[in-house]
Amino acid sequence: MGNPLSPAIADWVMETLLDTVVRMLKIPLPFLRKFVDDLVTAIPLHQLDHVMETFNSYDVHIQFTYELEVDNKLPFLDMLLIRQDNQKIATQWYQKPIASGRFLNFHSYHPLGQKLNMAINFARRVNQLTTNLDQQAKMQIVDEQLKLNDYPKPLRHRIANRMNERSNDENQQEILEYTYRRIPFIPHLSNKIDRVLQRDYNNIRLAKYNVRSARDYFTKIKDPVPPEQQTNVIYAIPCCHCEAMYVGMTTNRLKTRIHGHQTHYNTMDKLLERGIDVEDQEMIALGEKTALMHHSITKQHRFDLDRTKILDKNENTNTLQFLEMCHIVNNTNCINRRTDTEGLHAIYAGILHEVRNVNKTRKRNDTQTRMNQNTLTPQQ
């Protein structure tokens, strides 16, 4: 699960299995439809045991179960297949009896566009999957489901009435190539940013996401990953002899990056043992590798690699580089080179300055709180 190749491999296995098993069956199948590992077909009832034995004989690790139609009805995925008297199959939108019927609530903390798109796509899905009901019955299904999720009555009616309408945007206007960027969803502010960008940059579209996700509200089931095993992180290493701090970024495991710094220190120690001066070309070349080594060689200081601390993390490499520059700018004791922040636009200077002031105030208040807590109250 989670591997990008998994869907392709699963589909290949099922196709190979079906090609083999169908040839082994003693009866022809009128039709056979597949979605991943869900199959639907029609067979004579007295051949059920033969069909099941043939499918389950393909591989001991791949075993099938079956479900028979009841009252000429059989659920398959999001549809209810209905066998009619003329042996034709009608379909109807279907949800399991245990389904709550709840999806994106109208009052949830999401952009309005996401809620509307979800509701419109749901209405189209009901309309396309249902062939045995009239339009009024379809509209009633959509209305009941949207009402359950607190969608206003006027909006429910508009969506239900437009179920048959198809989008003609592709025929009416030229298809444009858009560049999508993610931003956190903040009511009012995100929409204003969206309008400003669309006014000046027609090819940019913003995809808004919630900062808080479902995982934030549930107990962590998996064991936490140790800091040294984490990837895509921004880290800080303090100097043992002064207040200097080195801020770095790595997409590999933090342990691997720290080992790289330790390798540079080992190289420096070997050069010093050979009597190489700090102004020698070999030592200068070593100091140019990182700002950490430059500080260590020129100041003859050591950084405490064992006290490495993770400052931030992000799976997006571009975002990770941006966050690294922000942390470098906001750390007054940072010894990183000026070139490490050249990609940071000057427009962020005021914002980072405000963040730095807030952090200082918060740290000062925390220190004062701890001092007050440690102060002993004299007994009366």
Side-chain angles (χ1 to χ4, degrees):
M1 295 296 292
N3 191 308
L5 284 177
S6 296
I9 293 175
D11 194 58
W12 175 76
V13 170
M14 286 300 299
E15 287 293 339
T16 305
L17 182 150
L18 292 178
D19 289 342
T20 304
V21 170
V22 169
R23 288 195 297 267
M24 296 169 58
L25 292 175
K26 299 178 181 179
I27 58 173
L29 300 179
F31 70 93
L32 178 63
R33 296 293 182 267
K34 170 183 71 70
F35 182 79
V36 191
D37 59 346
D38 289 322
L39 307 174
V40 60
T41 187
I43 60 173
L45 188 58
H46 67 276
Q47 294 287 349
L48 178 61
D49 292 339
H50 163 64
V51 172
M52 290 302 299
E53 289 176 2
T54 306
F55 270 87
N56 289 331
S57 65
Y58 180 81
D59 191 295
V60 67
H61 298 99
I62 305 177
Q63 298 296 295
F64 290 82
T65 60
Y66 66 87
E67 183 177 353
L68 297 175
E69 66 175 37
V70 177
D71 297 330
N72 295 340
K73 298 178 181 179
L74 178 67
F76 180 65
L77 304 177
D78 291 341
M79 291 189 301
L80 183 66
L81 307 181
I82 305 170
R83 183 163 59 89
Q84 300 174 324
D85 295 337
N86 59 2
Q87 297 304 307
K88 291 185 178 181
I89 297 177
T91 60
Q92 181 177 329
W93 174 79
Y94 173 80
Q95 62 177 181
K96 295 181 179 179
I98 62 172
S100 65
R102 297 189 179 276
F103 37 75
L104 198 57
N105 192 279
F106 186 77
H107 301 298
S108 61
Y109 193 84
H110 289 79
L112 179 61
Q114 290 184 8
K115 303 171 190 174
L116 293 178
N117 287 337
M118 187 282 308
I120 292 172
N121 288 331
F122 169 72
R124 289 176 178 171
R125 190 172 185 79
V126 171
N127 187 49
Q128 294 172 357
L129 296 181
T130 304
T131 61
N132 68 321
L133 300 177
D134 58 25
Q135 196 63 23
Q136 190 65 30
K138 297 178 186 178
M139 292 171 60
Q140 184 176 356
I141 293 175
V142 173
D143 185 76
E144 290 175 354
Q145 294 296 317
L146 295 180
K147 181 180 179 181
L148 182 63
N149 291 276
D150 298 328
Y151 283 74
K153 185 175 181 179
L155 180 59
R156 300 200 309 265
H157 288 178
R158 287 203 302 271
I159 292 174
N161 289 329
R162 295 177 56 185
M163 286 199 324
N164 278 332
E165 297 181 9
R166 294 184 177 180
S167 175
N168 295 321
D169 293 342
E170 295 183 359
N171 299 328
Q172 294 177 356
Q173 51 185 308
E174 182 182 357
I175 300 177
L176 300 177
E177 291 291 336
Y178 294 122
T179 299
Y180 288 89
R181 290 292 182 264
R182 298 171 70 245
I183 65 169
F185 171 65
I186 303 173
H188 307 300
L189 176 60
S190 298
N191 292 333
K192 290 182 179 179
I193 295 175
D194 201 355
R195 287 195 296 269
V196 170
L197 284 178
Q198 288 189 14
R199 185 173 63 242
D200 299 328
Y201 304 96
N202 293 329
N203 63 324
I204 293 181
R205 292 293 182 269
L206 296 181
K208 307 174 187 68
Y209 69 94
N210 285 349
V211 179
R212 302 295 296 273
S213 61
R215 72 178 63 182
D216 297 322
Y217 298 95
F218 293 94
T219 304
K220 302 296 185 295
I221 299 177
K222 295 183 178 180
D223 293 333
V225 179
E228 65 274 7
Q229 298 295 332
Q230 295 188 28
T231 59
N232 297 312
V233 299
I234 299 166
Y235 61 92
I237 309 177
C239 181
C240 298
H241 302 87
C242 65
E243 295 182 354
M245 184 79 67
Y246 173 77
V247 175
M249 176 198 77
T250 179
T251 56
N252 299 320
R253 291 181 179 179
L254 180 59
K255 180 180 180 180
T256 303
R257 187 69 186 99
I258 298 303
H259 179 72
H261 289 306
Q262 184 61 57
T263 301
H264 290 161
Y265 270 132
N266 295 341
T267 302
M268 183 183 72
D269 291 338
K270 291 179 180 180
L271 292 176
L272 293 175
E273 290 176 0
R274 289 166 46 195
I276 300 298
D277 189 77
V278 294
E279 296 181 357
D280 188 86
Q281 190 61 38
E282 289 186 67
M283 197 69 79
I284 293 175
L286 180 62
E288 291 178 351
K289 291 184 178 295
T290 62
L292 181 147
M293 289 307 302
H294 182 267
H295 180 86
S296 299
I297 293 174
T298 57
K299 302 293 184 180
Q300 297 184 8
H301 289 182
R302 288 268 181 169
F303 281 80
D304 193 346
L305 302 181
D306 294 332
R307 290 172 55 199
T308 302
K309 180 174 64 173
I310 294 179
L311 300 178
D312 219 330
K313 65 179 303 179
N314 196 289
E315 298 301 323
N316 188 302
T317 304
N318 293 331
T319 303
L320 196 66
Q321 293 174 348
F322 172 76
L323 291 175
E324 180 194 26
M325 291 186 290
C326 291
H327 282 286
I328 292 174
V329 171
N330 266 16
N331 193 324
T332 56
N333 298 322
C334 192
I335 51 92
N336 291 68
R337 298 187 178 99
R338 184 183 298 273
T339 54
D340 292 337
T341 59
E342 284 183 346
L344 187 64
H345 198 281
I347 195 173
Y348 295 104
I351 300 175
L352 294 176
H353 178 73
E354 184 65 24
V355 171
R356 186 161 56 246
N357 290 338
V358 170
N359 290 338
K360 286 182 179 179
T361 303
R362 183 180 300 166
K363 185 180 297 186
R364 187 166 53 249
N365 292 339
D366 291 343
T367 302
Q368 186 63 39
T369 301
R370 287 195 298 268
M371 292 177 60
N372 294 338
Q373 291 174 347
N374 294 333
T375 301
L376 296 177
T377 303
Q379 297 182 355
Q380 300 294 332

